[in-house]
């Protein structure tokens, strides 16, 4: 950790044991639970802010570490500090403010639950279970005040914790989230549309409150399975298992892939049998969808854009080429990805592997290493 530390919010522990001198040792575990909660909420905010469906970048959690710097008198006032990471390869998420935003959202959620109101729609549903474990050591006559005297002040007690636990058992939540898929129908008369989810192909109903989004929805409308994949920033009904049940309103829409990649896949979709001087098979929509999914993973993981080619065996091939070598990834019609990396200067220096197309982590790992060693 670096030396550039700062105070992270303000806690006052009051009532019960906290009216005595010192800090009960069984309370120390609460600070670890709180740190996990802040990171969990920050992960959700990251996905909302940067419109990504994938994992947060490596090192994200390492960019945030709380330390108990002091304990002041006045009931019990613990001083929590956060230091910016000194490692040069870690992005300074603290400087971006995403962990402070998570802290404020946690306190807004506490106030909402305490007042019997809805949980804020941008609170990540997956973090509710972690939230309900925080405060386990509190006794009935004890409570935590967060940022007292500020606009973000909130109070946590066992009663509020029980309410949170009840909320965590609910089947459905209103959330503000990012949803990827395809627009397959628009009904402007009643402000609704149909949306095919990218993750499972299930078609759900959607609604929009502003007619301003209609031109954008129409731009990406396609009744076929080759409709472009888009990302909706939306208010939706979500289950506790994070399944999207219904879209209540559309806040924004944009294509997921850059236009040149969409155009290239569209070109490949139009190839007919015999496209290669009488040879060459038509590429199935399934393979093209798998190619799109892999391209999305490449973008999310920072893999440079490949050149894209059809194969004569009804496949799609990605290619990365450098002065010293080449790396290819071919999506085959049997839903596999055949990976190959070789040196242009050493005939004996080559690597190959085959994975299912959905084994994104394995494919990314091979490509990251292969591009660095052969095509960098």
């Amino acid at each position: 950790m670096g030396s550039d530390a700062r105070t992270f919010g303000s806690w006052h522990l009051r009532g019960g044991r906290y009216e005595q001198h010192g800090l009960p040792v069984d309370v120390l575990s609460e600070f670890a639970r709180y740190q996990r909660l802040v990171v969990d909420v920050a992960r959700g905010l990251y996905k909302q802010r940067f419109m990504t469906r994938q994992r947060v970048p490596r090192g994200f959690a390492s960019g945030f570490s709380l330390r108990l710097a002091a304990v002041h008198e006045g009931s019990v006032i613990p001083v929590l500090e956060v230091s910016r990471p000194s490692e040069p390869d870690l992005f300074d998420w603290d400087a971006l403010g995403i962990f402070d935003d998570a802290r404020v959202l946690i306190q807004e959620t506490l106030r909402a639950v305490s007042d019997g109101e809805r949980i804020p729609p941008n609170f990540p549903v997956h973090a509710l279970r972690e939230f309900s474990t925080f405060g386990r050591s509190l006794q009935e006559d004890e409570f935590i005040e967060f940022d007292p005297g500020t606009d973000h002040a909130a109070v946590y007690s066992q009663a509020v914790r029980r309410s949170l636990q009840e909320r965590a058992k609910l089947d459905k939540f209103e959330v503000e989230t990012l949803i990827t898929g395809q627009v397959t129908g628009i009904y402007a008369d009643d402000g609704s549309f149909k949306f095919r989810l990218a993750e499972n192909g299930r078609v759900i109903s959607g609604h929009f409150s502003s007619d301003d989004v209609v031109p954008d929805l129409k731009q990406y409308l396609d009744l076929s399975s080759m409709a472009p994949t888009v990302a909706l920033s939306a208010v939706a009904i979500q289950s506790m298992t994070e399944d999207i049940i219904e879209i209540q309103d559309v806040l924004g829409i944009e294509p997921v892939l850059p236009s040149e990649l969409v155009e290239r896949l569209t070109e490949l979709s139009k190839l007919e049998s015999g496209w290669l001087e009488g040879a060459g098979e038509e590429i199935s929509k399934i393979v093209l969808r798998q190619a799109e999914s892999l391209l999305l993973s490449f973008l999310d993981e920072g893999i440079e854009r490949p050149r894209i080619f059809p194969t004569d065996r009804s496949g799609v091939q990605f290619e990365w080429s450098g002065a010293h070598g080449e790396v290819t990834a071919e999506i085959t019609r049997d839903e596999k990805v055949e990976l190959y990396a070789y040196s242009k200067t050493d005939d004996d220096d080559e690597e190959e592997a085959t994975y299912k197309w959905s084994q994104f982590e394995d494919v990314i790992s091979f490509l990251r290493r292969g591009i660095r060693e052969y095509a960098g």
Side-chain angles (χ1 to χ4, degrees):
M1 299 291 293
S3 60
D4 187 13
R6 64 176 180 82
T7 302
F8 189 77
S10 172
W11 286 31
H12 285 200
L13 304 175
R14 300 190 183 279
R17 296 166 297 168
Y18 303 127
E19 300 304 322
Q20 306 170 34
H21 177 73
L23 180 69
V25 294
D26 60 348
V27 176
L28 295 175
S29 59
E30 296 295 351
F31 301 115
R33 294 188 190 111
Y34 179 72
Q35 177 172 292
R36 290 195 298 270
L37 173 60
V38 172
V39 171
D40 228 16
V41 174
R43 290 179 192 276
L45 291 180
Y46 172 89
K47 292 183 178 182
Q48 295 172 21
R49 183 173 299 178
F50 295 99
M51 298 190 74
T52 177
R53 62 192 180 88
Q54 297 290 352
R55 302 180 311 278
V56 297
R58 292 178 177 84
F60 181 85
S62 303
F64 178 78
S65 181
L66 289 176
R67 304 180 76 86
L68 182 61
V71 179
H72 295 160
E73 295 289 341
S75 295
V76 176
I77 305 175
V79 179
L80 295 181
E81 290 185 346
V82 60
S83 299
R84 292 181 178 174
S86 57
E87 293 87 344
D89 58 327
L90 293 180
F91 191 90
D92 194 350
W93 297 106
D94 183 50
L96 188 64
I98 199 163
F99 294 111
D100 277 309
D101 291 344
R103 174 178 61 83
V104 170
L105 181 55
I106 288 168
Q107 291 165 203
E108 289 177 352
T109 303
L110 278 177
R111 289 202 308 273
V113 171
S114 181
D115 295 340
E117 298 175 355
R118 285 185 174 185
I119 289 175
N122 60 330
F123 186 88
V125 169
H126 72 271
L128 275 177
R129 285 199 174 96
E130 186 69 53
F131 207 158
S132 66
T133 66
F134 174 52
R136 184 182 299 166
S137 70
L138 285 175
Q139 298 180 2
E140 287 295 336
D141 57 347
E142 298 171 347
F143 54 94
I144 305 173
E145 290 185 352
F146 294 93
D147 293 342
T150 72
D151 292 340
H152 306 304
V155 176
Y156 195 34
S157 64
Q158 278 292 7
V160 176
R161 181 168 175 256
R162 282 193 292 270
S163 295
L164 270 169
Q165 289 174 324
E166 289 302 313
R167 301 287 185 100
K169 295 175 184 176
L170 295 177
D171 293 330
K172 301 176 184 178
F173 296 86
E174 182 182 276
V175 297
E176 188 175 308
T177 188
L178 186 76
I179 310 169
T180 56
Q182 303 160 283
V183 180
T184 60
I186 302 174
Y187 313 96
D189 291 344
D190 62 356
S192 68
F193 64 101
K194 294 293 184 182
F195 196 73
R196 182 186 293 114
L197 298 173
E199 60 181 350
N200 56 26
R202 187 164 52 86
V203 177
I204 63 172
S205 297
H207 303 273
F208 50 88
S209 59
S210 173
D211 290 339
D212 292 342
V213 304
V214 173
D216 291 331
L217 289 171
K218 286 185 175 179
Q219 178 183 354
Y220 301 112
L221 171 66
D222 193 328
L223 301 181
S224 77
S225 61
M226 284 311 298
T229 298
V230 296
L232 295 184
S233 175
V235 177
I237 300 297
Q238 187 181 58
S239 71
M240 193 63 200
T241 55
E242 299 191 38
D243 293 323
I244 300 298
I245 299 169
E246 181 182 359
I247 298 170
Q248 290 192 309
D249 200 6
V250 177
L251 307 178
I253 180 172
E254 64 178 39
V256 176
L257 285 179
S259 59
E260 63 268 24
L261 296 182
V262 173
E263 291 171 2
R264 182 56 174 157
L265 291 180
T266 300
E267 290 174 0
L268 300 190
S269 72
K270 295 178 180 178
L271 293 176
E272 299 179 352
S273 295
W275 58 268
L276 183 62
E277 298 180 350
E281 301 174 21
E282 179 182 354
I283 303 173
S284 72
K285 290 181 171 59
I286 293 175
V287 168
L288 290 167
R289 275 287 163 222
Q290 293 166 355
E292 182 187 53
S293 295
L294 281 170
L295 284 170
L296 290 173
S297 295
F298 297 164
L299 292 177
D300 287 336
E301 294 291 339
I303 300 293
E304 62 184 79
R305 298 180 191 179
R307 290 185 291 175
I308 306 173
F309 303 98
T311 73
D312 59 1
R313 299 173 296 175
S314 191
V316 174
Q317 180 170 294
F318 302 129
E319 181 182 295
W320 296 263
S321 184
H324 304 293
E326 190 171 283
V327 179
T328 63
E330 180 182 342
I331 306 170
T332 66
R333 67 178 128 199
D334 58 352
E335 304 188 14
K336 300 287 181 60
V337 180
E338 296 179 353
L339 298 156
Y340 183 55
Y342 68 93
S343 170
K344 294 179 179 179
T345 58
D346 183 351
D347 292 340
D348 296 325
D349 187 5
E350 61 182 16
E351 294 183 46
E352 59 183 315
T354 300
Y355 299 107
K356 293 181 180 179
W357 76 273
S358 56
Q359 292 178 273
F360 296 115
E361 291 189 8
D362 294 320
V363 172
I364 291 294
S365 178
F366 183 100
L367 292 177
R368 197 184 297 280
R369 183 182 67 257
I371 293 171
R372 182 179 63 248
E373 296 180 1
Y374 294 92

